Amino acid sequence: MARKSILTQLNKVFISITLLVILIASIFAFTSQKMLLTSNAILHADLPLEIAITSMNSTLKGMQTNAALYLLGYEDQKQQYQVNLSILQSIKDNISQQKLLTNDEQVTAFNHVNQLSNTLNNLYQTLIFNTYNPVDERAAKNIATNLLETTATPLEKILDLRAKDEIKGSQESSDEDELRHDDIPAIEYYLRLVDDAGDMQNALTRYLLNDKNAQQEFDENAQEFVKWLKLLEPLEQDDDEIADIAYIKQLFKQLLDDGHRLFKLYNPESLSSATHAFHKMKQTQIADIEQQMTLLINSTSNQVINQLEDLKSTNVGSIILLALCAMITIILLISLSFYTKRTIYLPIEKLAKSVDALRLGERNIQFIHNDDELGDVFNNVEKFQQDLRQLDELQHNETQYKQQLELERDKLQQALNTLQQAQKKLINSEKMAALGALVAGIAHEINTPIGIAVTISSTFESRVKEFVTQAKTGQLNLSDLEMFEQESLEGLVIMQRALNRAAELIHSFKQVAIDQSSDKRRTFLLDDMLNEVFNTLKHQIKRSTYTISIDCPSDIMMDSFPGPFGQVITNLFNNAIIHGFDGAKNGDINVKVNLEQNDRIKLQFSDNGVGIPASHIDKIFDPFFTTKLGQGGSGLGMNIVYNIVNNILGGDISVASHNGTTFTLIIPISAPK
């Protein structure tokens, strides 16, 4: 029997598919040509006109919006109006140059819109933009505001002060003649001056609110002010009052001059006039333009609809042709499916089942196949079955050896687990001991500011009771009141400083205690975390001359584990105190942080203590290594530091000893997930 090649069978399938693709492409080419001819009529005639008319309508509405916003005080809308006016003219010129108007109805409506838009532009320019100016209005308001702050308010204040001074002088004077002819008239004149100054200020405000009588009232009040000021001058005056009256004259002149400048600069009626004109145009010219634009848009839309109806007819014919092609395609695909299943799919399915049986352990499969490429695959699978029989024998022997190895591995794993549990207990004990020392130190530190606050509070309570008693019995005088005020303020300042110190210690303790008792990941500022940790450690060196300096950029934001990080800093600090200084009276601890490349930080923790002997450098991070065994050292502090930095924080730590000891930590800003 002749060999049947799968490639020959696939070539038959590919030829059939190619003929089908050529047939469908021919149908699409025919229908596309028909649609192209129809759509060109829309794209090159009706659609550009409709787009131009729509843009023209949008620009006219934009010009209307520019005028409305200009009346609301947006002076930049005048320039935007000119931009829209240029766009409108460009659109009208484009419609005329490209000859997009195709019937008399469109030409008539377009000419009417052109005439109305030119008229409307002249009205906008004359009745709105040339009548009202927001800059002048804003300048007038600025003048009024400046007068209130720099002139009117100081004027009323000094007049009121002089009136109160005259009232006080009249109460203390015993000369009846002086009261009648000097003090009482002066009081009246100053009070009237205060009223006139306030009325002038109110007149300016009402003028900006379009009060027509405001300018006249401003001048009348100014005349009254001058009259009372002249009556005040002959009265008896000391040097201070003479100087104040000169200052009053200066402020009054400035108020009068700036008020007249405001009246000359700005007329509030211009806004109402321009607004009235705008509303009138909306009811006449703008309404006519909108009506004509509607006619023009409807005419253009009708032409587009007619063209689309023609395109619809073409599409119906295309759909019928495509439906016929779809039926032919379905018949061909069904035929190709049956042919492919019989010649390719069924033999491959049989091969797949045989391979699955081999995978499940079957080793006596009979392979029946044709003389083709798949037949060669069947022959190879049959040989593979023979190889699997030999492999099964080898796996049986391997299983026995593997079972023996697993027994030994389980014994070693059990020993390792026991060792890890012991190490974890020692580390937890070290952590809780550090937290206990932190609680005791913070409690001792808080006692001092809390005690100060309690003492001040008790003193303040007794002083308040004494003050209330004096007030109720009428024995309170001005000196007692001033002394009570001074003592109260000083006591409150001291008490607030003490309570702020206590709050700062509690906040630092709270954050550090929470972080050290948990291994939660969060984002934090490195500088804040370092300061909080050292705030909880400073009590250990309070009675010594040790110093701590921190040099860390304030903007390094970490996404890491602040609890383990703080444990590292605490252990390094304790190592410096216990081993580095070893009871010395003086010592310096320096922490320096630099931002490295690849989003990593470099933290150097240095002390100027006795240093580490060369023989101990390589053992410093080993568990249970300590030179203070039996003297408070467990030998786990540096091992904990090493494990936290490498395993939790994802960094690296090294140590160098020369004129002291320096630990260098390279830690990523974002800890490993």
Side-chain angles (χ1 to χ4, degrees):
M1 184 177 180
R3 179 183 177 90
K4 295 180 180 180
S5 174
I6 295 178
L7 180 60
T8 302
Q9 300 174 26
L10 291 177
N11 285 335
K12 294 178 181 179
V13 176
F14 292 149
I15 291 172
S16 300
I17 293 175
T18 302
L19 293 175
L20 179 61
V21 170
I22 293 173
L23 178 61
I24 294 175
S26 300
I27 295 173
F28 271 106
F30 173 76
T31 55
S32 297
Q33 180 65 21
K34 294 288 294 181
M35 293 177 67
L36 180 62
L37 295 175
T38 305
S39 61
N40 278 337
I42 297 175
L43 293 176
H44 293 91
D46 297 330
L47 189 58
L49 178 60
E50 186 172 7
I51 293 173
I53 293 172
T54 303
S55 300
M56 186 175 174
N57 188 35
S58 176
T59 305
L60 285 169
K61 291 184 179 297
M63 293 168 63
Q64 179 182 350
T65 302
N66 296 145
L69 291 175
Y70 181 79
L71 292 176
L72 293 177
Y74 298 94
E75 64 270 12
D76 61 323
Q77 292 299 313
K78 183 175 182 180
Q79 181 180 0
Q80 186 61 40
Y81 174 86
Q82 296 298 329
V83 174
N84 284 329
L85 180 63
S86 300
I87 294 174
L88 177 64
Q89 188 61 43
S90 176
I91 294 173
K92 292 191 292 185
D93 294 342
N94 188 40
I95 292 175
S96 301
Q97 292 172 2
Q98 295 186 10
K99 298 180 180 180
L100 299 179
L101 301 173
T102 57
N103 57 55
D104 295 338
E105 182 182 3
Q106 292 177 349
V107 172
T108 302
F110 177 78
N111 291 334
H112 199 180
V113 169
N114 187 26
Q115 181 181 0
L116 288 174
S117 63
N118 292 333
T119 303
L120 183 63
N121 175 50
N122 293 331
L123 293 175
Y124 276 144
Q125 298 288 353
T126 304
L127 300 180
I128 295 179
F129 294 116
N130 295 336
T131 300
Y132 168 69
N133 191 346
V135 176
D136 292 341
E137 181 182 15
R138 188 176 295 108
K141 291 181 179 179
N142 289 336
I143 291 174
T145 302
N146 185 57
L147 280 177
L148 174 63
E149 295 177 355
T150 63
T151 305
T153 300
L155 180 59
E156 289 189 60
K157 183 176 180 182
I158 191 171
L159 288 171
D160 186 63
L161 182 64
R162 294 308 313 173
K164 291 180 179 178
D165 187 63
E166 291 294 339
I167 293 172
K168 181 178 179 183
S170 65
Q171 292 174 349
E172 297 176 353
S173 176
S174 59
D175 189 345
E176 183 177 351
D177 187 60
E178 183 180 355
L179 286 172
R180 182 181 298 112
H181 298 290
D182 182 70
D183 294 337
I184 293 177
I187 293 172
E188 178 185 1
Y189 299 156
Y190 276 121
L191 292 177
R192 289 186 179 275
L193 288 172
V194 171
D195 292 338
D196 290 335
D199 291 340
M200 291 174 70
Q201 177 184 340
N202 292 333
L204 289 175
T205 303
R206 287 187 286 106
Y207 178 79
L208 293 176
L209 297 177
N210 202 16
D211 187 344
K212 298 180 180 180
N213 299 322
Q215 184 175 358
Q216 181 180 354
E217 292 180 7
F218 179 85
D219 292 334
E220 291 175 355
N221 288 324
Q223 293 175 1
E224 288 289 318
F225 191 95
V226 172
K227 182 182 74 174
W228 297 117
L229 191 60
K230 288 182 178 180
L231 292 174
L232 182 66
E233 290 180 348
L235 300 179
E236 181 182 352
Q237 300 170 355
D238 55 18
D239 293 339
D240 292 339
E241 188 172 3
I242 292 172
D244 288 344
I245 290 176
Y247 183 52
I248 290 171
K249 290 181 179 179
Q250 178 185 348
L251 293 175
F252 170 71
K253 185 178 184 304
Q254 183 178 353
L255 176 63
L256 187 63
D257 293 343
D258 287 346
H260 288 158
R261 184 160 62 93
L262 185 147
F263 297 143
K264 184 178 180 181
L265 174 66
Y266 174 66
N267 183 7
E269 293 183 359
S270 62
L271 176 60
S272 60
S273 174
T275 303
H276 176 73
F278 178 76
H279 289 300
K280 186 175 180 181
M281 283 187 286
K282 285 184 64 176
Q283 298 173 357
T284 55
Q285 287 84 2
I286 295 177
D288 292 342
I289 287 180
E290 290 178 350
Q291 181 180 3
Q292 294 301 318
M293 289 298 297
T294 301
L295 293 175
L296 192 57
I297 290 174
N298 290 338
S299 175
T300 306
S301 298
N302 291 334
Q303 284 195 2
V304 174
I305 291 173
N306 293 333
Q307 294 290 343
L308 291 176
E309 289 293 336
D310 294 339
L311 186 61
K312 179 180 177 181
S313 300
T314 303
N315 286 335
V316 170
S318 300
I319 291 172
I320 295 174
L321 291 175
L322 290 175
L324 182 61
C325 290
M327 294 178 61
I328 297 173
T329 301
I330 292 172
I331 295 172
L332 288 175
L333 290 176
I334 292 174
S335 301
L336 292 174
S337 175
F338 280 109
Y339 181 75
T340 305
K341 180 178 180 181
R342 181 175 60 84
T343 58
I344 299 176
Y345 175 74
L346 290 178
I348 292 178
E349 181 183 21
K350 182 179 179 182
L351 178 62
K353 290 181 179 179
S354 300
V355 173
D356 287 339
L358 288 174
R359 182 175 57 82
L360 295 175
E362 179 65 33
R363 298 293 183 266
N364 297 311
I365 301 173
Q366 297 294 325
F367 293 96
I368 301 174
H369 50 82
N370 296 324
D371 186 13
D372 53 20
E373 288 85 348
L374 287 175
D376 297 336
V377 175
F378 275 95
N379 289 329
N380 291 329
V381 173
E382 187 173 8
K383 294 178 181 179
F384 180 64
Q385 180 179 234
Q386 297 175 359
D387 295 335
L388 287 177
R389 292 193 187 102
Q390 299 177 359
L391 182 61
D392 289 342
E393 295 179 0
L394 295 175
Q395 287 180 342
H396 177 71
N397 295 330
E398 182 184 1
T399 301
Q400 294 180 349
Y401 291 114
K402 186 176 181 180
Q403 290 176 351
Q404 294 178 359
L405 292 174
E406 287 178 350
L407 290 175
E408 296 297 330
R409 183 198 63 189
D410 292 340
K411 292 179 181 179
L412 293 174
Q413 185 65 41
Q414 183 177 3
L416 178 61
N417 291 339
T418 301
L419 181 61
Q420 289 178 343
Q421 290 176 0
Q423 183 183 17
K424 184 176 181 181
K425 289 179 180 180
L426 289 173
I427 292 174
N428 287 335
S429 298
E430 184 80 10
K431 182 186 295 184
M432 296 310 295
L435 189 59
L438 173 64
V439 172
I442 290 298
H444 178 74
E445 285 293 312
I446 292 175
N447 281 338
T448 299
I450 293 297
I452 293 173
V454 170
T455 302
I456 294 298
S457 176
S458 300
T459 304
F460 186 64
E461 179 182 9
S462 62
R463 190 67 183 92
V464 168
K465 291 179 179 179
E466 180 182 350
F467 176 78
V468 171
T469 302
Q470 290 178 338
K472 289 181 177 180
T473 58
Q475 299 176 0
L476 183 67
N477 53 41
L478 183 59
S479 61
D480 293 333
L481 177 61
E482 291 176 349
M483 182 176 295
F484 174 75
E485 180 185 7
Q486 181 179 0
E487 292 176 353
S488 300
L489 292 176
E490 291 177 354
L492 288 174
V493 169
I494 295 173
M495 184 166 60
Q496 185 178 11
R497 188 183 302 119
L499 291 176
N500 286 339
R501 175 57 181 164
E504 179 183 352
L505 290 170
I506 291 172
H507 174 75
S508 297
F509 164 71
K510 179 181 178 181
Q511 188 61 55
V512 174
I514 290 173
D515 286 340
Q516 289 195 4
S517 60
S518 68
D519 292 337
K520 292 184 178 179
R521 180 191 187 116
R522 66 180 176 90
T523 58
F524 57 92
L525 284 171
L526 180 58
D527 185 40
D528 291 346
M529 189 276 288
L530 292 175
N531 283 296
E532 288 172 355
V533 171
F534 279 108
N535 278 339
T536 63
L537 297 174
K538 286 181 179 177
H539 69 278
Q540 299 184 27
I541 59 174
K542 183 177 181 181
R543 291 180 173 81
S544 66
T545 57
Y546 300 154
T547 63
I548 300 174
S549 64
I550 303 175
D551 181 8
C552 176
S554 60
D555 58 348
I556 296 180
M557 179 66 72
M558 303 286 291
D559 179 12
S560 189
F561 301 89
F565 205 150
Q567 183 68 31
V568 169
I569 300 301
T570 300
N571 285 10
L572 292 176
F573 174 83
N574 291 333
N575 186 73
I577 298 299
I578 297 173
H579 299 282
F581 299 145
D582 195 15
K585 296 181 179 180
N586 300 318
D588 298 325
I589 294 177
N590 297 307
V591 179
K592 181 175 179 59
V593 178
N594 292 320
L595 186 61
E596 301 289 300
Q597 295 180 349
N598 300 325
D599 293 333
R600 305 175 78 85
I601 64 161
K602 178 180 180 181
L603 187 149
Q604 291 181 304
F605 190 103
S606 306
D607 65 71
N608 61 347
V610 298
I612 303 174
S615 59
H616 294 170
I617 286 290
D618 295 335
K619 304 176 183 178
I620 190 69
F621 296 118
D622 292 346
F624 306 109
F625 175 77
T626 179
T627 59
K628 298 288 185 179
L629 188 61
Q631 303 177 31
S634 64
L636 285 176
M638 289 296 100
N639 181 253
I640 292 173
V641 168
Y642 182 85
N643 288 328
I644 290 175
V645 172
N646 285 271
N647 300 330
I648 298 178
L649 303 181
D652 186 36
I653 184 172
S654 60
V655 59
S657 182
H658 181 70
N659 294 329
T661 303
T662 299
F663 289 91
T664 302
L665 288 71
I666 305 297
I667 299 174
I669 291 179
S670 179
K673 300 297 183 181

